[in-house]
Amino acid sequence: MRTLLTLALLSTGIATTQPALAEEPRYTSDGQLLRPENYREWIFLSAGLGMTYGTVEAAAGAAAPKFDNVFVSPEAYRAFLKTGAWPEKTMFALEVRSSVSKGSINKGGRYQEDIVALEIEVKDSSRFPNKFAYFDFGTSKQTAPPLPVTASCHACHATNGAVESTFVQFYPTLIPVARAKGTFKEASAK
């Protein structure tokens, strides 16, 4: 009977197992992350202008500050709202864009222009010994290997992340959630 039911479901195009969600990380056979094509459809967490992890002097010497836009996969966002923690397979997209100040009708202030970089953070403790891995797609690469664990992003995120290795301190709508769930590291906000 089970075989007949399986055959009937398959013949109608309904599979008995669920395919991987589009928001879950997908990898090449050699372990490179495939660029998530739909990350702009994910939940927008925050934007920053001129944020730097380097020295203030280096940032001040930049011709124009860059915008950072942060997105997270929808399933992960919904889970965070319930628990204050990021589930396995969470992906964050950090889209870095150049900024300009004069164009069209704009005579002051800054607005976003071209993509300068796309970086992805993935939480997957079954794949990465530090739970989190970071991938740099540059402006247009379709695959990227994980950055080595010696890359500065690992230590910075582990030391300064407000929730696990993530910078929730810069996502104003999630700070109260993390505080209410007891997952927010208060030292990260200072």
Side-chain angles (χ1 to χ4, degrees), residues 69-118:
N69 298 308
V70 182
F71 304 87
V72 69
S73 49
E75 293 291 327
Y77 178 79
R78 287 189 282 277
F80 187 91
L81 293 178
K82 291 178 185 172
T83 66
W86 300 109
E88 290 292 316
K89 311 291 188 212
T90 294
M91 284 196 295
F92 294 89
L94 172 66
E95 181 185 72
V96 182
R97 288 185 170 267
S98 60
S99 72
V100 293
S101 62
K102 294 187 173 87
S104 182
I105 63 169
N106 184 50
K107 304 302 179 215
R110 304 198 77 75
Y111 60 93
Q112 300 186 40
E113 203 169 55
D114 298 327
I115 291 180
V116 176
L118 174 64

Side-chain angles (χ1 to χ4, degrees), residues 5 28 35 45 65 95 113 133 138 143-144 147 162 182:
L5 178 60
T28 61
R35 179 188 186 107
L45 293 178
E95 181 185 72
E113 203 169 55
T143 63
L147 294 174

Side-chain angles (χ1 to χ4, degrees), residues 141-161:
K141 291 191 303 186
Q142 295 304 303
T143 63
L147 294 174
V149 293
T150 56
S152 62
C153 51
H154 286 276
C156 184
H157 278 258
T159 303
N160 300 302

Side-chain angles (χ1 to χ4, degrees), residues 3-17:
T3 305
L4 289 175
L5 178 60
T6 302
L7 288 173
L9 289 172
L10 289 174
S11 68
T12 61
I14 301 171
T16 57
T17 59

Side-chain angles (χ1 to χ4, degrees), residues 36-59:
E37 293 302 320
N38 65 336
Y39 73 87
R40 284 193 195 97
E41 297 172 15
W42 294 358
I43 304 299
F44 175 73
L45 293 178
S46 190
L49 176 63
M51 296 179 73
T52 181
Y53 304 125
T55 64
V56 174
E57 295 79 22

